[in-house]
């Protein structure tokens, strides 16, 4: 397999991580009012976005978004744009980390101080996000190799459980014919936004040859449907709305009869902690790269100032995280939903900008 | 012969002056009716057999100084010293200086005291070749060339060390090697300025790029079959005279878990053995940390029976679980270290006493739980499953990081540490090549790429 597999991994990671970022909550909220048509719409929109974005990036081999923008726009425009995008990426990591701290405190170690946990996460994330891009892709692949089998095991265990209520799922399917809801579409497209990390990783993956991009659509659809139906099968069509972290409650309902560990929750938690830390590392790395690119590259890349730029930016991200630790669960949820919508707009904006850059490029050298 | 011009500058007298106070300097005059010849050599590093048979006897047999001089010059291994520095180097490396009618000729008569090819000690296998590299470079090359009969096996040699003048040989398969790595190695060896070089590990220390690191980036091995196997995989071998170990580079993390048995065993068995080793590493790394996490933070994770078992065995233990783990692990390290250094005769005493103290008395006194004893032995045993020593030492150190993380954050700490550790491992490069990633995915789909000793 060639280098292109890393693109698929980026996508896979984002689509799996959606259950941390409040996507199931948003879908469950509209389960009687068009969540399922929204999922279908999101699959279409998401796949179209992937096609557009990868096609555009392919025109700029080996370049990040930063370099592409620099060729077209004056610095006065690129700087605010990059800051906005970096903020979005920072927020993506931030929400994952905050909700995971919440999950940890609620499900795993209620006695440990919240700040101890978040600082533990932040240390490893900041240390890792400073590494070079290729390293992170290798690391992500390894982490997926550890987590995905465990997640698949959880899924199989969940669906084959005799207590899984297929009736509830069938009942919710009867609510299918409803007009899609924009908010739900925005939330559901999060599963598809892994491709957007190529904004930076395109630099280290110049020879990207993407075959079978439709697989991404199918996979995203499968993930979204499972995300949506499995909790309903466990908690019923109405009671499902009472859970904040729907999927963790689901995993907690599954028992393993013949293993050292009895509750599925811990295996699921282990897999998802791995994945979400990796995802935060990737997101913050992208955010960091976007911001460091704004500084004029000095003559010596090893100069003291440029070495400290990355850690300083990550330190800033960490400080924001620590400040936002004061949010309660409700506010965090609101922030998460707000981010899901803003991110959708951001993606659209980025694709438009890239398209503009491409037309300018075509006009310059036809 | 351009020897004549040098005679003015480098005479026998000059050499003798330079090698003043050499009690083992020997000078002899050979006189025959047809002419005279002088012989000068350092007795301790020259072979009297060679001197007798190849220098002195022919002089009397040939009985013609001009022909004798011709004979000396055409003899394989004889050199003509051009500069004073070179002459001294030759004399110090075991050459005998013969002067016939004012002409100086340096005749290789080195006596290299080495042990013969013996059985390997550090990486033993159950089946398969058991000869080890020796301290003699020529013998080592013989061991390797005999196994790798290909015109592509190239060798470069250089001398490192201002005083030790250690001969270094770089071996590689020209058709398979990564030339980028080769150039980097040449550059690093070329810029090396040291006085003494005696061991392969020492050289490895000098040619590394990063000062702070925990994982070995090169394999140091004494098995010629491992050298050959790795040469076929496109790696470079660096061999040193006067040491019985070769350095292999660049390596990846997985290479450290390959024992040479794996190739000899049936494929299925070989894979199983490798899997065992990986499981062993996982156990030695995580068991102590998980014990801390389960005993002190998250007893609810494991089955209720196991949680009760741990708690029950810890009932008499007067301190937190991570202190218990640290005490026992440190005791075990002491024992390992001591049994390594002790003379053979007292070795068993240490293990018996240690085993008794660690196993019986500590639990009876209630200092550690029974469960802990089992765990420590499992950790100790699984740690030594790694075939290459360097890596097994690294892993030995690494487990303490996991214990500390577990002591601070419980299971969360272990997982956080795992993520950090994986990312660190992925960030490592061995001579510019990735050290750790899912290598087997690369070969998936690209078939036909010839691999040396692969299955």
């Amino acid at each position: 397999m060639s280098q292109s597999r890393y693109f698929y991994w980026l996508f896979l990671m984002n689509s799996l991580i959606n259950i941390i970022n409040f996507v199931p909550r948003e879908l469950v909220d509209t389960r009687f009012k068009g969540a399922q048509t929204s999922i279908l719409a999101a699959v279409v929109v998401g796949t179209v976005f992937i096609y557009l974005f990868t096609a555009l990036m392919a025109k700029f081999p080996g370049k990040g978004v930063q370099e592409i923008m620099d060729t077209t726009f004056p610095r006065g425009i690129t700087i605010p744009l990059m800051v906005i995008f970096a903020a979005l990426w920072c927020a993506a990591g931030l929400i994952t980390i905050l909700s995971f701290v919440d999950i940890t405190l609620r499900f795993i170690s209620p006695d440990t101080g919240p700040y101890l946990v978040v600082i533990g996460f932040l240390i490893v994330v900041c240390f890792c996000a400073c590494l070079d891009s290729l390293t992170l892709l290798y690391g992500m692949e390894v982490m997926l190799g550890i987590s995905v089998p465990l997640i698949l095991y959880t899924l199989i265990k969940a669906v084959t459980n005799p207590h899984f209520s297929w009736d509830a799922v069938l009942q919710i399917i009867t609510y299918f014919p409803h007009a899609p809801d924009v908010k739900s579409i925005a939330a559901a497209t999060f599963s598809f936004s892994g491709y957007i990390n190529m904004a930076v990783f395109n630099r280290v993956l110049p020879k990207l040859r993407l075959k079978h991009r439709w697989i991404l659509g199918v996979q995203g659809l499968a993930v979204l449907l499972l995300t949506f139906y499995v909790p309903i099968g466990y908690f019923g069509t109405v009671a499902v709305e009472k859970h904040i972290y729907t999927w963790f409650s689901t995993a907690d309902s599954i028992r393993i009869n013949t293993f050292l560990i009895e509750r599925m929750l811990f295996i699921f938690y282990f897999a998802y902690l791995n994945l979400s830390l990796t995802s935060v590392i990737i997101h913050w790395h992208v955010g960091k790269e976007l911001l460091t690119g704004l500084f004029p590259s000095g003559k010596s890349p090893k100069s003291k100032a440029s070495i400290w730029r990355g850690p300083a930016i990550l330190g800033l991200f960490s400080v924001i995280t620590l400040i936002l630790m004061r949010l309660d669960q409700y506010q965090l949820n609101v922030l998460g939903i707000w981010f899901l919508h803003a991110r959708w707009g951001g993606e659209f904006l980025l694709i438009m900008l890239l398209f503009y850059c491409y037309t300018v490029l075509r006009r310059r050298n036809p | 012969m351009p020897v004549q011009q040098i005679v003015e500058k480098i005479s026998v007298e000059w050499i003798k002056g330079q090698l003043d106070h050499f009690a083992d300097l020997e000078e002899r005059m050979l006189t025959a009716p047809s002419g005279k010849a002088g012989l000068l050599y350092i007795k301790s590093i020259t072979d009297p057999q060679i001197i007798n048979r190849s220098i002195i006897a022919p002089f009397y047999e040939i009985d013609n100084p001009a022909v004798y001089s011709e004979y000396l010059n055409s003899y394989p291994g004889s050199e003509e010293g051009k500069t004073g520095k070179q002459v001294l180097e030759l004399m110090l490396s075991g050459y005998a200086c013969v002067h016939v009618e004012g002409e100086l000729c340096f005749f290789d008569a080195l006596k290299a005291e080495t042990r013969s090819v013996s059985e390997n000690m550090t990486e033993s296998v159950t089946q398969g070749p058991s000869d080890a590299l020796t301290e003699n470079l020529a013998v080592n090359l013989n061991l390797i060339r005999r196994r790798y009969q290909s015109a592509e096996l190239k060798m470069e040699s250089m001398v490192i060390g201002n005083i030790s003048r250690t001969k270094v040989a770089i071996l590689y398969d020209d058709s398979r090697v990564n030339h980028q790595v080769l150039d980097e190695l040449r550059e690093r060896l070329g810029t090396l300025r040291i006085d003494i070089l005696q061991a392969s590990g020492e050289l490895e220390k000098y040619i590394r790029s990063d000062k702070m690191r925990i994982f070995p980036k090169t394999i140091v091995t004494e098995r010629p079959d491992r050298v050959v196997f790795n040469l076929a995989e496109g790696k470079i071998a660096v061999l040193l005279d006067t040491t019985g170990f070769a350095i292999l580079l660049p390596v990846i993390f997985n290479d450290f878990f390959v024992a040479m048995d794996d190739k000899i065993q049936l494929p299925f068995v070989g894979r199983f053995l490798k899997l065992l080793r990986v499981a062993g590493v996982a156990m030695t790394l995580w068991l102590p940390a998980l014990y801390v996490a389960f005993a002190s933070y998250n007893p609810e994770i494991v089955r209720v029976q196991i949680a009760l078992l741990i708690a029950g065995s810890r009932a008499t233990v007067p301190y937190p679980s991570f202190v218990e783990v640290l005490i026992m692990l440190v005791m075990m390290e002491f024992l390992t270290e001591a049994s390594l250094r002790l003379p053979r005769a007292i070795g068993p005493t240490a293990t018996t006493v240690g085993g008794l103290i660690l196993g019986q008395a500590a639990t009876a006194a209630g200092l550690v739980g029974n469960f802990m004893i089992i765990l420590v032995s499992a950790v100790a045993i699984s740690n030594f499953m790694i075939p290459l020593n360097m890596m097994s030492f690294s892993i030995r150190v690494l487990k303490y990081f996991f214990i500390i993380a577990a002591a601070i954050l419980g299971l969360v700490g272990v997982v956080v540490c795992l993520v950090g550790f994986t990312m660190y491992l992925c960030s490592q490069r061995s001579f510019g090549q990735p050290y750790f990633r899912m290598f087997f995915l690369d070969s998936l789909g690209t078939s036909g790429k010839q691999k040396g000793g692969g299955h």
Side-chain angles (χ1 to χ4, degrees):
Chain A
M1 272 202 259
S2 63
Q3 278 196 330
S4 339
R5 68 171 188 264
Y6 293 111
F7 174 76
Y8 295 94
W9 299 152
L10 279 170
F11 176 84
L12 178 63
M13 192 187 62
N14 230 61
S15 72
L16 288 176
I17 215 73
N18 77 63
I19 64 162
I20 312 282
N21 284 33
F22 302 107
V23 175
R25 265 215 67 68
E26 191 65 6
L27 288 176
V28 161
D29 278 349
T30 56
R31 65 195 178 286
F32 299 125
K33 294 171 293 190
Q36 294 163 82
T37 40
S38 305
I39 289 177
L40 285 187
V43 170
V44 174
V45 173
T47 317
V48 168
F49 272 26
I50 291 174
Y51 268 96
L52 283 178
F53 187 79
T54 47
L56 284 169
M57 286 312 263
K59 303 280 185 256
F60 304 95
K63 279 186 177 176
V65 164
Q66 184 87 47
E67 293 93 316
I68 298 172
M69 301 268 178
D70 273 342
T71 53
T72 321
F73 297 112
R75 280 191 71 79
I77 296 178
T78 43
I79 290 177
L81 277 178
M82 284 302 131
V83 171
I84 290 171
F85 286 127
L88 277 179
W89 259 290
C90 165
L94 197 105
I95 285 163
T96 313
I97 216 170
L98 285 179
S99 47
F100 219 88
V101 170
D102 203 24
I103 290 168
T104 304
L105 293 179
R106 243 153 258 280
F107 289 94
I108 303 293
S109 40
D111 311 329
T112 327
Y115 282 94
L116 196 60
V117 175
V118 78
I119 286 169
F121 287 174
L122 285 177
I123 287 173
V124 74
V125 166
C126 290
F127 162 73
C128 296
C130 285
L131 302 170
D132 60 310
S133 306
L134 217 48
T135 295
L136 294 184
L137 290 179
Y138 297 158
M140 180 185 66
E141 190 175 52
V142 176
M143 291 334 285
L144 280 174
I146 296 173
S147 304
V148 169
L150 295 177
I151 293 171
L152 282 179
Y153 174 64
T154 314
L155 273 179
I156 292 167
K157 252 326 211 189
V159 177
T160 56
N161 196 320
H163 301 293
F164 184 86
S165 162
W166 287 101
D167 285 344
V169 176
L170 290 176
Q171 197 192 345
I172 212 76
I173 291 177
T174 59
Y175 289 91
F176 189 86
H178 274 274
D181 173 64
V182 179
K183 278 176 153 184
S184 298
I185 296 177
T189 46
F190 179 80
S191 284
F192 292 85
S193 35
Y195 70 89
I196 205 93
N197 291 321
M198 285 303 288
V200 160
F201 287 106
N202 200 36
R203 288 180 193 158
V204 289
L205 302 173
K207 285 175 288 180
L208 210 59
R209 275 177 297 118
L210 299 175
K211 284 175 277 180
H212 313 301
R213 270 174 284 183
W214 53 269
I215 285 180
L216 300 180
V218 174
Q219 193 253 336
L221 177 68
V223 168
L224 278 175
L225 288 181
L226 283 169
T227 306
F228 182 63
Y229 287 136
V230 174
I232 288 173
Y234 270 87
F235 302 118
T237 49
V238 179
V240 71
E241 68 189 8
K242 293 193 175 134
H243 296 271
I244 304 292
Y245 300 104
T246 327
W247 258 94
F248 281 84
S249 308
T250 307
D252 206 5
S253 321
I254 306 170
R255 178 168 175 246
I256 312 171
N257 289 322
T258 48
F259 191 57
L260 293 174
I261 297 169
E262 205 168 9
R263 288 159 69 188
M264 182 57 93
L265 171 70
F266 299 109
I267 291 177
F268 192 68
Y269 175 83
F270 172 80
Y272 261 94
L273 180 52
N274 273 343
L275 264 193
S276 28
L277 281 178
T278 317
S279 144
V280 179
I281 290 167
I282 297 272
H283 284 150
W284 281 17
H285 176 77
V286 174
K288 184 209 84 173
E289 289 289 309
L290 288 179
L291 283 183
T292 44
L294 286 181
F295 295 98
S297 49
K299 273 159 203 154
S300 58
K302 289 270 175 190
S303 75
K304 243 184 187 163
S306 57
I307 285 175
W308 284 106
R309 244 169 237 158
I313 290 166
L314 290 171
L316 178 72
F317 289 178
S318 309
V319 169
I320 298 172
T321 314
L322 287 175
I323 293 170
L324 289 181
M325 275 294 285
R326 300 194 347 214
L327 295 183
D328 59 27
Q329 211 170 46
Y330 178 75
Q331 290 164 320
L332 183 61
N333 197 348
V334 170
L335 181 72
I337 304 292
W338 172 84
F339 160 74
L340 284 176
H341 298 165
R343 171 207 54 86
W344 200 36
E347 266 175 46
F348 190 66
L349 177 67
L350 185 59
I351 289 176
M352 286 295 113
L353 287 171
L354 280 178
F355 187 70
Y356 178 73
C357 292
Y358 173 60
T359 49
V360 169
L361 184 83
R362 279 280 298 274
R363 217 177 303 143
R364 267 186 209 157
N365 27 337
Chain B
M1 285 273 133
V3 190
Q4 277 82 358
Q5 313 131 17
I6 306 158
V7 179
E8 292 102 53
K9 281 178 275 171
I10 304 158
S11 62
V12 180
E13 297 307 316
W14 182 82
I15 298 173
K16 277 204 295 195
Q18 290 291 316
L19 301 181
D20 200 14
H21 288 297
F22 266 54
D24 50 355
L25 190 71
E26 187 90 9
E27 196 186 5
R28 282 277 171 274
M29 286 309 288
L30 311 175
T31 321
S34 58
K36 273 186 185 179
L39 182 59
L40 185 72
Y41 59 94
I42 302 173
K43 210 173 164 185
S44 52
I45 51 168
T46 43
D47 191 343
Q49 292 262 338
I50 298 178
I51 301 259
N52 276 341
R53 228 184 275 155
S54 311
I55 299 179
I56 298 176
F59 175 74
Y60 293 104
E61 281 162 13
I62 291 171
D63 206 21
N64 180 345
V67 178
Y68 179 63
S69 171
E70 203 57 35
Y71 157 78
L72 284 180
N73 280 320
S74 59
Y75 199 90
S78 69
E79 303 235 358
E80 28 181 294
K82 291 222 171 67
T83 61
K85 190 165 171 273
Q86 200 188 349
V87 165
L88 276 182
E89 268 169 24
L90 287 175
M91 289 299 292
L92 286 171
S93 57
Y95 279 73
C97 169
V98 188
H99 52 106
V100 189
E101 299 178 326
E103 275 183 35
L104 290 190
C105 177
F106 293 90
F107 196 92
D108 187 1
L110 174 68
K111 179 174 68 175
E113 287 290 358
T114 53
R115 67 192 162 97
S116 55
V117 177
S118 56
E119 211 166 305
N120 46 44
M121 307 285 284
T122 52
E123 304 157 56
S124 42
V125 296
T126 45
Q127 295 169 16
S130 58
D131 50 349
L133 296 174
T134 66
E135 279 77 8
N136 192 330
L137 188 57
V139 174
N140 290 348
L141 289 174
N142 172 290
L143 290 177
I144 292 167
R145 281 241 190 244
R146 223 172 60 215
R147 286 182 165 92
Y148 203 98
Q149 302 191 356
S150 155
E152 295 291 343
L153 179 62
K154 307 292 182 201
M155 182 190 141
E156 290 169 20
S157 76
M158 52 172 76
V159 175
I160 290 179
N162 293 330
I163 295 174
S164 66
R165 310 291 306 165
T166 313
K167 287 194 201 77
V168 176
I170 305 172
L171 273 92
Y172 55 90
D173 186 315
D174 204 30
S175 59
R176 301 179 182 206
V177 76
N178 182 338
H179 285 272
Q180 218 178 320
V181 176
L182 191 61
D183 291 339
E184 195 177 331
L185 176 72
R186 276 194 202 121
E187 195 216 309
R188 284 199 203 164
L189 285 179
T191 54
L192 206 57
R193 294 281 167 271
I194 47 171
D195 280 343
I196 301 277
L197 178 68
Q198 296 205 74
S200 301
E202 214 181 329
L203 182 66
E204 198 249 339
K205 205 174 79 193
Y206 291 124
I207 56 178
R208 71 192 177 184
S209 52
D210 40 356
K211 293 279 171 274
M212 285 284 289
R213 61 182 180 150
I214 188 142
F215 291 109
K217 299 281 184 60
T218 52
I219 293 179
V220 175
T221 182
E222 64 163 358
R223 295 187 61 86
D225 55 341
R226 193 186 280 277
V227 175
V228 167
F229 169 67
N230 281 292
L231 281 173
E233 284 201 324
K235 299 204 168 83
I236 304 168
V238 181
L239 269 77
L240 251 66
D241 206 13
T242 72
T243 177
F245 291 90
I247 305 176
L248 299 169
L249 58 100
V251 292
I252 61 171
F253 189 67
N254 307 14
D255 287 340
F256 289 93
F257 301 97
V258 176
M260 294 318 288
D261 288 29
D262 296 357
K263 305 284 155 200
I264 295 155
Q265 299 290 358
L266 301 173
F268 207 72
V269 181
R271 296 267 163 89
F272 171 71
L273 290 177
K274 199 164 175 191
L275 194 73
L276 271 188
R277 259 170 246 137
V278 173
V281 172
M283 269 176 78
T284 192
L285 267 182
W286 293 333
L287 266 189
L290 287 179
Y291 176 80
V292 173
F294 291 157
S296 298
Y297 278 86
N298 313 98
E300 76 275 11
I301 291 179
V302 285
R303 255 169 203 281
V304 122
Q305 293 91 328
I306 301 172
L308 286 177
L309 195 74
I310 296 177
S313 92
R314 273 182 47 77
T316 54
V317 179
Y319 28 69
S321 60
F322 87 94
V323 178
E324 185 192 3
V325 168
L326 281 183
I327 288 177
M328 280 311 279
L329 283 182
V330 168
M331 283 305 287
M332 185 199 78
E333 304 287 6
F334 287 167
L335 199 66
T336 324
E337 223 23 51
S339 49
L340 200 73
R341 309 279 169 224
L342 276 178
R344 285 270 157 85
I346 339 175
T349 326
T351 40
T352 319
V353 172
L356 275 178
I357 293 173
L358 290 185
Q360 289 293 313
T363 35
L367 285 176
V368 289
N370 274 320
F371 204 81
M372 191 64 229
I373 301 292
I374 302 168
L375 194 133
V376 164
S377 5
V379 168
I381 295 166
S382 49
N383 193 64
F384 292 108
M385 279 168 57
I386 306 166
L388 285 159
N389 248 325
M390 293 280 269
M391 183 51 89
S392 116
F393 279 96
S394 299
I395 298 286
R396 219 167 114 185
V397 177
L398 261 179
K399 65 173 176 275
Y400 290 97
F401 289 98
F402 280 90
I403 296 174
I404 293 167
I408 297 171
L409 278 175
L411 179 74
V412 180
V414 180
V415 183
V416 165
C417 205
L418 171 72
V419 174
F421 165 75
T422 313
M423 288 293 177
Y424 172 76
L425 207 53
C426 289
S427 75
Q428 298 298 296
R429 301 282 183 272
S430 170
F431 288 80
Q433 302 303 303
Y435 186 64
F436 180 73
R437 64 189 169 102
M438 296 254 192
F439 286 100
F440 68 90
L441 284 179
D442 292 332
S443 50
L444 221 71
T446 53
S447 57
K449 198 189 165 201
Q450 208 183 349
K451 275 247 169 179
H455 289 296

